[in-house]
Amino acid sequence: MTDNVQYPDLVIVGAGLFGLTVAQQAVERAGARVHIIDVRDHIGGNAYSYFDKETGAEIHKYGAHLFHTSNKRVWEYVNRFTEFTNYVHRVYATHDGVVYPLPINLGTINQFFGASYTPDEARKLIEEQAGELAGTDPQNLNDKGIQLIGRPLYEAFIKNYTGKQWQTDPADLPADIIKRLPVRFNYDNRYFKDTWEGLPKDGYTAWMERMIDDPRITVSLKTDFFDESQPYNKKALLAAGVPVVYTGPVDRYFDYELGDLKWRTVDFKEVRYDEDDHFGCPVMNYSDADVPYTRAIEFKNFNPERHDSQNHEKTVVWEEYSRFAERGDEPYYPINTDEDKALYAKYAEKAAAEPKVVFGGRLGTYKYYDMHNVIDTALTAFDEQVLPLIAK
């Protein structure tokens, strides 16, 4: 089946943001012919979205995706393919039946303690509540959280949420998972602090489709790179010397020969309500241990500007459950223990020895990236690694 195949100048494995960015750049800047394959039935990777027929809401199939960046190069690049709304992300958390704003800010603190602290008074309170851990360098997440924001706030908003998220007691997690917990001593409850923020006006998938709207870019979906019955498989491409950009799991590329890298995954439970608006916000965190999911997403509330095209008698909510991934699950977040980092370093050595393969994206480099990071690394990888392979 792979005989007499006329291969393109570049094959990209994975139609996520990294692969799409490289494809777009390869066509625009090198005049290359590019073929993209993806094992899924859609482009866009984890940023893929679709519109729910019943409610009119744009569903982010792999969990909430929110675009924000302070990188001017990335912002100018993405605005070539989509306009953005003026959406500003704000998160709320339910604790003991009361809703609070997050990240923890002066409003959260004063509401939680039933007080009217000034910024200086709130700072002093937090320092006092760190207790014996103040000024120390804790090595586990539990003690680090107490040191950073004091015991009461940590136990209310972080401890149980983190335990659910990692399926592990925070006392058994490394401190560097949180590194720092921001506390704002003003009433700013904007979640991100980046220069630019918004959501694509006509949806994520429309944005991604525009990126590869060029006859020199072709796409094969439901196509497995490791399936030797289809022509764009690993063995055939390497034998033919075709340059490859690989954005799948790096351990899978090498047939897990050094062992499996560990990930967390996310399961979603859909709930539909016979009402216009269930939460009054897009994301509600659940900080208490007796609620089994970490948060709930009400997609309709990401796009109030679409009010006229939405059903105001129905809404859809996804509850989000976190667990350790097994082989075959969708990998979302790298676990990144010292053992995993050491294992990835060995795989990275092997990857560097593949002369015509560029590894990229979240799965290919075992890193968690926001969308703007993926695009930035893709633009850099194209300049430094891909262009030299395809330059004519």
Side-chain angles (χ1 to χ4, degrees):
M1 187 171 177
T2 61
D3 295 339
N4 302 316
V5 175
Q6 293 296 312
Y7 286 116
D9 302 309
L10 177 67
V11 171
I12 296 175
V13 182
L17 265 174
F18 190 98
L20 299 181
T21 301
V22 170
Q24 188 278 326
Q25 289 285 283
V27 166
E28 180 176 270
R29 295 178 52 201
R33 294 172 302 113
V34 180
H35 191 71
I36 303 171
I37 68 171
D38 199 297
V39 73
R40 292 172 170 173
D41 63 358
H42 58 76
I43 68 166
N46 280 14
Y48 169 75
S49 67
Y50 62 92
F51 285 86
D52 180 62
K53 291 181 180 179
E54 183 181 45
T55 64
E58 181 185 352
I59 306 294
H60 304 183
K61 183 174 180 177
Y62 302 93
H65 276 67
L66 309 163
F67 194 82
H68 56 97
T69 186
S70 295
N71 185 319
K72 185 178 181 182
R73 174 175 75 155
V74 170
W75 183 243
E76 291 178 347
Y77 180 75
V78 299
N79 273 271
R80 295 176 53 189
F81 309 104
T82 184
E83 293 182 72
F84 286 86
T85 69
N86 60 1
Y87 175 80
V88 174
H89 190 47
R90 291 182 170 88
V91 173
Y92 296 86
T94 299
H95 167 63
D96 277 352
V98 178
V99 174
Y100 298 86
L102 290 180
I104 294 169
N105 59 75
L106 196 56
T108 319
I109 293 168
N110 280 330
Q111 184 182 351
F112 184 77
F113 292 107
S116 56
Y117 294 119
T118 65
D120 284 347
E121 290 169 340
R123 282 191 186 90
K124 183 178 180 182
L125 175 72
I126 297 301
E127 290 172 4
E128 290 172 352
Q129 290 178 342
E132 71 279 4
L133 293 170
T136 65
D137 185 24
Q139 298 304 300
N140 71 72
L141 188 151
N142 189 78
D143 290 354
K144 185 68 173 178
I146 295 170
Q147 182 222 18
L148 289 171
I149 64 172
R151 187 179 297 275
L153 290 170
Y154 166 76
E155 292 186 346
F157 297 108
I158 307 300
K159 180 178 181 178
N160 293 316
Y161 185 91
T162 303
K164 290 188 290 185
Q165 192 175 33
W166 288 88
Q167 298 293 293
T168 303
D169 188 323
D172 297 325
L173 291 169
D176 64 2
I177 287 176
I178 53 172
K179 294 180 182 175
R180 65 181 189 86
L181 283 173
V183 177
R184 297 176 186 161
F185 295 101
N186 57 32
Y187 291 95
D188 179 10
N189 69 334
R190 180 181 167 192
Y191 195 78
F192 301 117
K193 299 295 285 184
D194 282 302
T195 306
W196 299 286
E197 178 177 0
L199 297 171
K201 279 192 175 180
D202 50 1
Y204 279 103
T205 298
W207 163 15
M208 312 287 172
E209 288 172 345
R210 289 191 199 101
M211 292 180 71
I212 55 171
D213 184 15
D214 189 291
R216 292 167 292 182
I217 300 175
T218 53
V219 180
S220 296
L221 300 176
K222 295 189 282 188
T223 302
D224 187 347
F225 181 56
F226 303 101
D227 175 7
E228 294 184 6
S229 71
Q230 61 85 19
Y232 297 96
N233 68 77
K234 175 184 173 183
K235 182 178 179 181
L237 292 170
L238 293 183
V242 179
V244 171
V245 172
Y246 176 80
T247 68
V250 62
D251 50 357
R252 174 69 182 95
Y253 183 92
F254 296 105
D255 199 25
Y256 306 105
E257 63 182 67
L258 303 177
D260 290 37
L261 291 165
K262 295 194 290 295
W263 296 79
R264 282 189 299 122
T265 191
V266 176
D267 298 318
F268 299 100
K269 178 184 176 183
E270 183 176 284
V271 184
R272 292 178 181 264
Y273 295 95
D274 294 328
E275 52 191 296
D276 181 27
D277 189 351
H278 186 68
F279 287 117
C281 64
V283 178
M284 179 67 72
N285 285 9
Y286 286 88
S287 302
D288 300 332
D290 58 355
V291 178
Y293 45 94
T294 54
R295 62 180 182 170
I297 305 164
E298 187 166 9
F299 293 101
K300 185 188 287 186
N301 288 330
F302 284 127
N303 298 100
E305 76 282 358
R306 296 177 184 159
H307 178 273
D308 292 346
S309 63
Q310 294 175 339
N311 179 353
H312 299 290
E313 296 180 357
K314 300 277 187 179
T315 190
V316 58
V317 169
W318 280 19
E319 297 168 354
E320 187 172 310
Y321 299 78
S322 181
R323 62 179 173 83
F324 286 105
E326 298 177 4
R327 194 182 290 185
D329 287 329
E330 293 288 354
Y332 277 74
Y333 306 102
I335 299 295
N336 265 336
T337 63
D338 290 342
E339 181 182 358
D340 287 308
K341 291 175 183 175
L343 179 58
Y344 170 67
K346 293 178 182 178
Y347 275 123
E349 285 183 19
K350 294 177 69 66
E354 296 280 306
K356 288 199 170 184
V357 182
V358 175
F359 291 77
R362 189 173 48 89
L363 304 179
T365 59
Y366 195 61
K367 288 184 177 66
Y368 177 75
Y369 288 121
D370 286 328
M371 286 181 286
H372 65 285
N373 300 130
V374 173
I375 294 166
D376 188 46
T377 57
L379 291 170
T380 299
F382 179 80
D383 288 341
E384 297 178 357
Q385 297 174 270
V386 180
L387 186 58
L389 291 176
I390 62 173
K392 295 178 180 178

